[in-house]
Amino acid sequence: MALEFRDILLRQDDFTLTADLTVPAGRHAVIGASGSGKSTLLALVAGFLAPTQGRLLWEGQDITAMPPGKRPVSILFQHNNLFPHLSVKQNIGMGLRPDLRLNRAQQARVAQVLDQVGLSCLGARRPDALSGGQQSRVALARVLLRARPLLLLDEPFAALGPALKAEMLALLAQIAADTTVLMVTHDPADARAFAPDTLLVEGGRVHPPRPTGPLLDDPPPGLRAYLG
Amino acid sequence: MAAGLPLSIGHAIAGALAALILGTLAAVAWVAGGLSGLTEWDLRAVWFTLWQAALSATLSAALAVPVARALARRRFRGRGLLVTLLGAPFILPVIVAVLGLIAIFGRNGALNGALEAVGLPAIGIYGWQGVILAHVFFNLPLSVRLILQGWQAIPAERFRLAASLDFAPRDIARHLERPMLRGVLPGVWLAVFLVCLTSFTVALALGGGPRATTVELAIYQAFRFDFDLGRAAALGLVQIAICVGAALLAARIAIPAGFGAGLDAVGGPPAPGGWRRLADAAVIAAAAAFLLAPLISVTLAGLPRLTTLPPEVWQATRRSVLMAVTSALLASGAALALALTIARGGARWVEGAGMLPLIASPLVLGTGLFILLRGTVTPQQMALPVTALINAAMALPFALRALIPAARTLQDDYGRLAASLDLRGWARLRLLVLPRLARPLGFGAGLAAALAMGDLGVITLFAGDNPTLPLMLYQLMNGYRMADAAACALLLMAISLALFWAFDRGGRHGA
């Protein structure tokens, strides 16, 4: 269950991202200064951006040209993870069938995951009638339902308070037990708590994963300046 | 990213639109074969077109300033309604307003009655002064709205600062209001000038003759009365040149958008007392009377005869509603496909194609389509489809102006989420695009429906015995059947406003 970046180069205006590494199964933090290319890395894996050269492989299969919706990937963004005009149930149901023509068994599955994230009585609500924490739970419920083997997190909990964030990370650990996760974070504590390994992104270059603890205990100069 | 269905449709529509506009213009140019066929009479039409547009724009913008200032600094019951009504002339059928203006300012109108009572000579509405009057009637409200937006764009903190520095009204005018007006007025003036350059219906009903014929009206006369297609086409070339020149001018000056933005912001400039209070009240009352009196007069005159209208009026009504709805669906469907393509970062030419109708006038397009289609279908058969098509094309830039920003926001906010969930094609349209864009889509469709419903432009080139409702109204006016005309006008006004309301409302509910 490995994600391989083979000699990848992605050029965007005057910014260049390079990556040549293998990410093994497991949970990984992605750390780097603002503008270093963390979000670009996730957009590349999700399929929103195509590399200028190189190949991306998942379990040995080339997914470089695969459209985003067909990839073995779920992604949570910083904002706009839910469609505001659809109900909680519909938002989750999209994880099963994007056209929402769900049969009875699929509807039962939606109810089940809704229950799993502790929102069983809120299925008919619109997202704007939920708190920030509840909205995150809905997004996680959809991730659970889609059950893709690779999960990308682009700071989806950054706007939550510390207690809620810890709660979400715990829920996430439960949901993503067998999932390979890449989590962009600005908070070293999150990285230590959640991810055994960390990918450092520096000036457009993605470094291979290293154990999180030692990396943060003795950071290279660029990261040290960023962490302060 | 995967190219979905709307992408290819958007490109196809942009191509078809460019072919329609540029093809008809090419046909006009080909038949015209140069400008040598133009007479001195035609040059007068060019001159009149330019100076009446300039004068209409100057009067509208100048008169709008005191009205906008009064509305900006006064709060009173009915203010919101009045500001909403200022948007109405845009969707009001021109011929209805003309009938209302005749009722007030015409030979037997209320104003001349009053003048006669005090022994003053009567004024005439037919001729250049009537054309200017009608243009000010239509464009003063639009100008007031645009300038009012300028006033409300001045941050409330500036006015508080002015108050704390003990500014007199004169100081506020000098330091806050005049700089704002310098920024806003050129755009307002140009917006009115552009609209008046392609004026046809007003000139048809109130103008004419050597001193009050616009180029559009001259095209109609050459086409319809002189059967001189070559001269109509040559005049069409002149009109294209005028429109292109105006479009180049418009590209250098930002024209503010006239609708949408909330006009009920709290705060606003301070409201001085004394004579200024009375003056503001008088200005608002005069503007409201100028705007409402013609419409009220049409309503009162038309109501009693509404139930006894002849059956041909109802046939014309059916025809017009069908054409207006067709035009609305065409315009909003095309605008949606174009906006989605543009929002996805489609080529620049797609947006350019969407704005192409701005350089073509309805009469020029009508002449061009006649040239292209003659021999295959009769003018009678062309009348309704061509009118629906041209009205849809003319409404397209307005619909796009409302849709493109919304489509860009949709793409920025939810494009990646939809892609990651594999939401594509019809499911994407049904579950994401239509719900999110319902408001601007409904607004655009409503605008197109109202414009097509009230159109008395290109239909005059073709129609004979199957008139639309506005043409019927014009025929009744020419036959001096003024009571039936008033009832017909009331019907037309009610349907136009109802169509706009229904589409716009539908969009708001869908959102």
Side-chain angles (χ1 to χ4, degrees):
Chain A
M1 301 273 271
L3 180 67
E4 290 173 64
F5 299 81
R6 287 217 187 136
D7 195 22
I8 281 199
L9 185 131
L10 192 157
R11 205 171 277 129
Q12 251 199 328
D13 302 325
D14 54 355
F15 176 79
T16 308
L17 184 83
T18 56
D20 188 32
L21 64 146
T22 299
V23 179
R27 304 204 298 240
H28 309 270
V30 178
I31 280 193
S34 300
S36 60
K38 306 184 296 288
S39 289
T40 308
L41 174 70
L42 259 56
L44 170 81
V45 177
F48 305 133
L49 298 176
T52 319
Q53 68 170 56
R55 294 192 302 151
L56 186 66
L57 285 83
W58 173 251
E59 290 183 322
Q61 191 202 346
D62 190 335
I63 61 168
T64 318
M66 195 181 269
K70 305 293 185 201
R71 295 194 178 202
V73 171
S74 279
I75 183 165
L76 291 184
F77 308 100
Q78 198 163 359
H79 307 285
N80 296 325
N81 285 303
L82 303 175
F83 295 110
H85 56 282
L86 298 180
S87 71
V88 165
K89 260 189 190 159
Q90 287 175 309
N91 266 294
I92 296 175
M94 265 197 186
L96 280 181
R97 269 196 77 149
D99 65 2
L100 285 180
R101 297 184 205 281
L102 304 183
N103 61 29
R104 202 167 286 269
Q106 288 167 324
Q107 282 170 6
R109 279 285 290 140
V110 171
Q112 192 191 341
V113 294
L114 203 52
D115 195 39
Q116 249 171 301
V117 297
L119 297 175
S120 43
C121 49
L122 298 181
R125 293 225 187 144
R126 298 268 176 100
D128 60 5
L130 302 181
S131 69
Q134 287 170 331
Q135 290 179 11
S136 298
R137 284 171 181 271
V138 175
L140 283 175
R142 192 179 57 213
V143 168
L144 182 59
L145 202 57
R146 293 190 88 211
R148 303 281 162 118
L150 183 55
L151 175 60
L152 310 175
L153 302 171
D154 198 354
E155 299 188 85
F157 311 128
L160 301 179
L164 263 180
K165 191 160 75 172
E167 198 182 309
M168 289 307 139
L169 288 176
L171 183 60
L172 185 65
Q174 199 184 325
I175 286 173
D178 303 318
T179 307
T180 294
V181 181
L182 289 180
M183 178 178 78
V184 170
T185 181
H186 278 109
D187 187 344
D190 287 352
R192 283 181 200 270
F194 182 80
D197 293 304
T198 292
L199 277 66
L200 175 63
V201 186
E202 254 183 333
R205 183 158 170 260
V206 186
H207 293 270
R210 289 172 56 187
T212 303
L215 177 70
L216 292 177
D217 291 338
D218 183 22
L223 182 60
R224 187 188 300 275
Y226 166 66
L227 293 174
Chain B
M1 245 182 271
L5 197 58
L7 191 72
S8 49
I9 293 178
H11 283 108
I13 286 177
L17 190 67
L20 171 74
I21 306 282
L22 299 178
T24 46
L25 296 191
V28 166
W30 181 61
V31 168
L35 299 173
S36 53
L38 294 181
T39 62
E40 194 201 342
W41 175 281
D42 299 320
L43 295 180
R44 279 194 195 177
V46 175
W47 173 235
F48 177 69
T49 300
L50 294 174
W51 80 254
Q52 62 80 21
L55 183 58
S56 300
T58 307
L59 281 176
S60 298
L63 292 175
V65 171
V67 184
R69 182 176 54 199
L71 282 172
R73 65 190 184 186
R74 304 291 167 190
R75 294 290 175 272
F76 53 92
R77 195 188 283 258
R79 178 182 175 278
L81 182 67
L82 185 59
V83 172
T84 305
L85 280 176
L86 290 175
F90 199 78
I91 51 172
L92 184 71
V94 176
I95 191 69
V96 172
V98 166
L99 189 69
L101 288 169
I102 292 173
I104 301 295
F105 298 96
R107 193 153 298 275
N108 302 314
L111 186 68
N112 275 328
L115 288 175
E116 199 180 3
V118 295
L120 287 169
I123 55 159
I125 192 172
Y126 294 98
W128 63 267
Q129 67 275 32
V131 173
I132 305 281
L133 177 74
H135 285 165
V136 172
F137 175 84
F138 274 100
N139 293 298
L140 176 64
L142 174 72
S143 311
V144 170
R145 276 179 77 100
L146 294 175
I147 297 172
L148 186 55
Q149 280 176 6
W151 240 288
Q152 285 170 346
I154 300 176
E157 290 81 3
R158 299 267 173 83
F159 287 117
R160 284 188 211 131
L161 180 64
S164 77
L165 294 174
D166 198 22
F167 274 22
R170 197 187 325 147
D171 305 317
I172 291 179
R174 182 172 156 206
H175 294 294
L176 297 179
E177 298 176 329
R178 257 177 251 152
M180 179 279 290
L181 288 173
R182 265 197 296 276
V184 169
L185 280 179
V188 172
W189 189 91
L190 189 59
V192 179
F193 182 71
L194 292 181
V195 170
C196 294
L197 280 181
T198 54
S199 178
F200 172 70
T201 313
V202 164
L204 175 72
L206 295 174
R211 293 181 58 200
T213 295
T214 59
V215 175
E216 288 279 274
L217 185 58
I219 294 174
Y220 164 78
Q221 286 165 346
F223 189 104
R224 194 81 205 212
F225 297 143
D226 307 337
F227 308 107
D228 188 345
L229 198 53
R231 214 177 108 233
L235 282 162
L237 272 189
V238 172
Q239 182 69 57
I240 295 167
I242 291 175
C243 288
V244 169
L248 291 177
L249 198 62
R252 302 175 64 92
I253 299 180
I255 295 183
F259 3 71
L263 290 170
D264 47 0
V266 285
W275 66 271
R276 287 188 177 86
R277 192 181 156 82
L278 286 178
D280 281 355
V283 161
I284 291 171
F290 178 53
L291 182 64
L292 291 176
L295 302 183
I296 291 171
S297 151
V298 165
T299 308
L300 294 180
L303 264 181
R305 291 294 281 266
L306 206 51
T307 50
T308 57
L309 278 171
E312 7 1 321
V313 170
W314 297 107
Q315 284 160 14
T317 304
R318 258 197 305 281
R319 221 173 273 136
S320 271
V321 169
L322 185 70
M323 192 207 46
V325 171
T326 308
S327 193
L329 295 179
L330 271 176
S332 50
L336 178 64
L338 290 177
L340 290 177
T341 301
I342 292 163
R344 286 182 185 205
R348 293 276 307 166
W349 71 269
V350 175
E351 191 165 354
M355 294 298 161
L356 263 184
L358 290 177
I359 63 154
S361 77
L363 273 274
V364 172
L365 286 183
T367 308
L369 282 177
F370 175 82
I371 292 168
L372 290 173
L373 296 176
R374 67 186 156 164
T376 52
V377 285
T378 67
Q380 290 277 342
Q381 289 170 317
M382 274 184 227
L384 289 181
V386 164
T387 307
L389 185 67
I390 289 181
N391 274 296
M394 298 317 285
L396 198 58
F398 297 100
L400 275 179
R401 212 172 280 174
L403 262 175
I404 290 175
R408 287 218 167 101
T409 306
L410 173 78
Q411 182 65 26
D412 289 350
D413 287 356
Y414 303 108
R416 285 185 166 186
L417 176 60
S420 78
L421 293 173
D422 204 24
L423 184 59
R424 289 177 298 122
W426 289 113
R428 188 180 199 274
L429 191 67
R430 180 169 60 89
L431 294 170
L432 177 59
V433 173
L434 289 181
R436 298 304 302 168
L437 299 185
R439 260 165 193 266
L441 209 52
F443 171 80
L447 206 59
L451 290 178
M453 186 72 207
D455 176 64
L456 180 61
V458 70
I459 189 77
T460 56
L461 288 182
F462 302 116
D465 35 280
N466 52 354
T468 57
L469 195 52
L471 189 58
M472 187 95 199
L473 168 55
Y474 180 60
Q475 289 166 350
L476 288 172
M477 284 166 69
N478 276 349
Y480 294 103
R481 291 166 61 186
M482 295 318 268
D484 277 343
C488 196
L490 177 59
L491 185 66
L492 178 56
M493 175 165 70
I495 295 175
S496 296
L497 299 184
L499 278 173
F500 176 78
W501 182 84
F503 277 110
D504 188 50
R505 178 94 183 168
R508 280 164 204 266
H509 265 268

